[in-house]
Amino acid sequence: MSTLASEIIRNTGAISAADLARGGRVSGTIGDITAPDPRMVCRGVNVWYGAKQAIRDVSLDIGKNQVVAMIGPSGCGKSTFLRCLNRMNDTIDGCRVGGSIRLDGQEIYDKRVDPVPLRAQVGMVFQKPNPFPKSIYENVAYGPRIHGLTNSKAELDALVETSLKKAGLWNEVKERLDQPGTGLSGGQQQRLCIARTIAVSPEVILMDEPCSALDPIATAIIEELIDELREHYAIAIVTHSMQQAARVSQRTAYFHLGDLVEVGETNQVFTNPRHQLTEDYITGRFG
Amino acid sequence: MQIEAPPSAPSAPRRTIDIVNASLKRRYAREARFRFMGAAAVTLGLLFVAVLFADIAGKGYSAFQQTYIQVPVYFDPAILEPTGTPDPQTLAGADYQALVKASVRLLFPELTERRQLREAYALISAGAPQQLASMVSAHPSVIGTTRDLWLIAGADVDMLMKGHLDRAMPEADRHIKDSSIALLDRLAADGRIEKRFNTGFFTNGTSREPELAGIAGALAGTFYTLVLTLLFSFPLGVGAALYLQEFAPKNRWTDLIEVNINNLAAVPSIVFGLLGLAVFINFFGVPRSTPLVAALVLGLMTLPVIIIASRAALQSVPPSIREAALGVGASPLQTQFHHVLPLAMPGIMTGAIIGMARALGESAPLLMIGMIAFIVDVPQGFTDAATVLPVQIYLWADSPERGFVERTSAAILVLLGFLVLMNLAAVLLRRRFERRW
Ligand SMILES: Nc1ncnc2c1ncn2[C@@H]1O[C@H](COP(=O)(O)OP(=O)(O)OP(=O)(O)O)[C@@H](O)[C@H]1O
Ligand SMILES: [Mg+2]
């Protein structure tokens, strides 16, 4: 890793001698990390896998009615950071999280906070579509059912329908709700997973490369969907596609080797990056 | 397939294709040799299995038939109701042995000498009085009438009729005298000897008389034992696997437990029998030779097999399913019971069936806990003294009578039948539910 880091440093030439002395790490984040109406507020987040630090002192707000895109070279800690936001990292042995992450003012890593209801509030869509090997209906109804969100079968039916409609899948599957969700195409499966996530009415939706397994048409559908979902939810999305980040997000955060290098309005980051590393990545010089 | 290299000038450097072609023949020859050896190994294995099966089936098939002799029986009121009052008590206590003897005398009126008569009586099985007794208690109306009845033939007659006794042998070496053979030949000529399907083999308990011995007792004992074994080991095994695989912290202690479970799976089964004797019988006072104690021992023996199979099955459920469930806010327990466990179930069941099949064929540990006792009665519950099929086979194999040889093989056939059924179920289960995600 250190050889890769020094390689990058030599190539960019934008890092001070002090940075070099600290092993090529970037000090501080350039740009405005705050959002006007934040749902989630992260301050000084550090993550270790065993002895290895994967995230270093990251501070970022996830704003309401906003899409934050996280970009950066592979292995820079985007997924790791995202998984902190709904405590999905709890399931990984040896993963430790430090710093402060608050959801609507409540510290989510507080001992008294139960990760189970937290994950109902902060939903997640994964890179690879992972529907349950059950019927389409059951896939969407599962979350509401275990949380007891509906009082009757009719209510549940209605919730399943609206969720599938919001995910733009209703018209394609309304005739075959009892068929297995795993029998859908990849793009449909991913929309089913989105429907499953929004069926529990989360406040924040986290998406980890939701389109990486999809073709351009399915990707376009999901990007449109993300844009619509923004109306109701705060969204954080990890993507490897610069175009996608530019299309769907309002703010963009650039990660590099576990540091959050730069945050800003998406327009500004893509047209006028302020950090050399960001510019190099966006212009395709490495990554 | 050889690719012809175009002719090239002798001075030209050797091309890759020539080098490849040169070695190609050797490579294919090696592959052919390997295939041949593989096929030979499989054939040899199958041959051994076929020989084994043919041998057992050849010895055992005749046990599914039983020789019967048709005898005119006069249900003599003087024998059955010596007091003159037809009540069930006296009927049950009547001398049916005498009735059988009287019937034999009726069959061979010309025999008068005691020695001749004793030989004639021996043609009929010692089980015949019981046969008549149950008939009388079921239909008291037969008293006073004469009926032609098919009575079970004695073991030697049965063997002779099935061709297991050689008529050409000198009489002194033979179990059955020439005079008896003459009587039998006459009966055969009269159509009074017949081989029928041996229902008694499936409905009787064991017996000292081979022609009366059946596997019902052993089957019932096996059934009760296996049911309890499954009840003990399945929930415990799956629970342990679930905890170890999904919930337990990964540290030195759980590593140690894992090593020990793997060791337990390889411990010789007789050790479990010794443990059962020391702990369950001597310490906890569980009644010996019962399905209960057998199931405790076999359950312990099966537990590691089920734990290992269940852990493998749980491990094969993709983590994305767990993430999906946790991601919508399912608790870890809900994640396991709603999603992971159902998906792992076919694998778990396969493991359980294989474990049960092993328990079904096990005899060594059961010898230690008294299942070897000679028990004639068919067990009626979990705490009745019982034996099981493999032990029954072991006991019969120990008996010198020719009649028990065929019964041993027949019991092995039944055991093999059950084993094949169970393993088939395991295979079908695996096929049916293979990879659904
Ligand atoms: N479970 C884990 N155990 C140990 N190290 C891990 C684990 N998951 C991730 N890491 C390490 O943490 C660092 C960040 O990984 P992360 O998955 O967050 O990267 P990423 O930015 O999402 O990469 P990609 O774009 O390839 O998905 C990497 O160096 C990775 O090797
Ligand atoms: Mg990632």
Side-chain angles (χ1 to χ4, degrees), chain A residues 16-65:
Chain A
S16 66
D19 285 335
L20 269 178
R22 292 193 291 106
R25 288 285 167 185
V26 185
S27 56
T29 303
I30 299 181
D32 186 7
I33 58 166
T34 63
D37 187 4
R39 282 329 287 260
M40 299 198 83
V41 177
C42 312
R43 289 296 176 268
V45 176
N46 290 291
V47 182
W48 293 266
Y49 289 113
K52 179 173 168 268
Q53 189 160 9
I55 289 281
R56 204 173 290 250
D57 201 18
V58 169
S59 300
L60 184 65
D61 288 0
I62 315 283
K64 201 172 179 176
N65 305 337

Side-chain angles (χ1 to χ4, degrees), chain A residues 83 88 91 93 116 119-120 122-124 126 130-134 142-143 146-147 182 196-197 200, chain B residues 248-250 320-332 334-335 338-339 342-343 436-437:
Chain A
R83 291 166 63 91
M88 215 56 184
T91 60
D93 278 328
V116 169
R119 290 182 196 134
V122 184
M124 188 156 200
F126 297 87
N130 56 353
F132 301 128
K134 302 188 177 195
Y142 180 70
I146 56 170
H147 296 302
T182 39
R196 180 176 68 192
T197 302
V200 291
Chain B
K250 304 276 174 286
S320 66
I321 296 290
R322 294 180 184 81
E323 287 191 330
L326 291 173
V328 292
S331 70
Q334 285 174 324
T335 303
H338 295 169
H339 301 286
L343 289 173
R436 286 191 309 175
W437 47 83

Side-chain angles (χ1 to χ4, degrees), chain B residues 271-283:
Chain B
V271 175
F272 287 97
L274 288 169
L275 180 93
L277 180 65
V279 176
F280 297 130
I281 296 181
N282 292 344
F283 188 76

Side-chain angles (χ1 to χ4, degrees), chain A residues 142-188:
Chain A
Y142 180 70
R145 192 175 282 151
I146 56 170
H147 296 302
L149 299 185
T150 54
N151 296 317
S152 66
K153 176 87 171 73
E155 256 182 78
L156 188 59
D157 287 350
L159 181 55
V160 169
E161 182 175 337
T162 46
S163 304
L164 283 170
K165 275 185 175 151
K166 276 193 212 163
L169 191 61
W170 175 250
N171 284 330
E172 289 158 68
V173 300
K174 64 182 172 204
E175 306 295 333
R176 46 170 173 152
L177 289 177
D178 55 343
Q179 283 176 22
T182 39
L184 297 173
S185 77
Q188 288 172 327

Side-chain angles (χ1 to χ4, degrees), chain B residues 72 101-113 116-117 120 183 186-187 190:
Chain B
K101 287 183 177 173
S103 308
V104 173
R105 286 196 297 271
L106 222 59
L107 185 63
F108 302 115
E110 75 284 5
L111 300 182
T112 49
E113 266 180 61
Q116 287 178 319
L117 276 173
L183 291 180
R186 227 180 67 207
L187 288 177
D190 292 351

